[in-house]
């Protein structure tokens, strides 16, 4: 959700109340959209790195070869938000 929120608040629209706008006023060397894009890229890189770390640490699980191999809990997690 944080990555989408950065996109929505700092890149897609620039309003004087946004964090990117305030930070751009503070540093005076970049536009609010540039600050928003930088934060968005940092967020995406961190999300990918943390996902990779979590997948490495999770170890091996059961091999899933068809939809019938999923547990009820797995189906509930996939169906929920």
């Amino acid at each position: 959700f944080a990555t989408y929120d950065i996109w929505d608040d700092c890149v897609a629209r620039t309003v004087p109340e946004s964090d990117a706008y305030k930070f751009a006023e503070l540093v005076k060397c970049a536009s609010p959209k540039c600050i928003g894009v930088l934060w968005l890229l940092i967020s995406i890189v961190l999300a990918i790195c943390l996902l990779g770390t979590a997948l490495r640490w999770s170890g091996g699980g059961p091999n899933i070869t068809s939809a019938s191999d999923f547990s009820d809990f797995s189906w509930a997690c996939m169906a929920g938000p």
Side-chain angles (χ1 to χ4, degrees):
F1 176 76
T3 304
Y4 173 75
D5 190 48
I6 292 170
W7 168 260
D8 188 46
D9 289 344
C10 301
V11 178
R13 60 184 170 91
T14 303
V15 293
E17 295 83 25
S18 74
D19 292 337
Y21 193 91
K22 299 295 183 187
F23 191 75
E25 285 180 345
L26 182 68
V27 297
K28 295 180 179 48
C29 67
S31 70
K33 284 208 185 275
C34 182
I35 299 292
V37 168
L38 180 64
W39 287 347
L40 182 66
L41 291 174
I42 291 170
S43 174
I44 290 170
V45 167
L46 283 174
I48 290 170
C49 290
L50 291 173
L51 177 62
T53 301
L55 290 173
R56 266 193 299 270
W57 283 356
S58 66
N63 289 334
I64 304 294
T65 57
S66 69
S68 63
D69 292 338
F70 287 117
S71 67
D72 291 337
F73 181 72
S74 295
W75 282 113
C77 289
M78 289 186 280

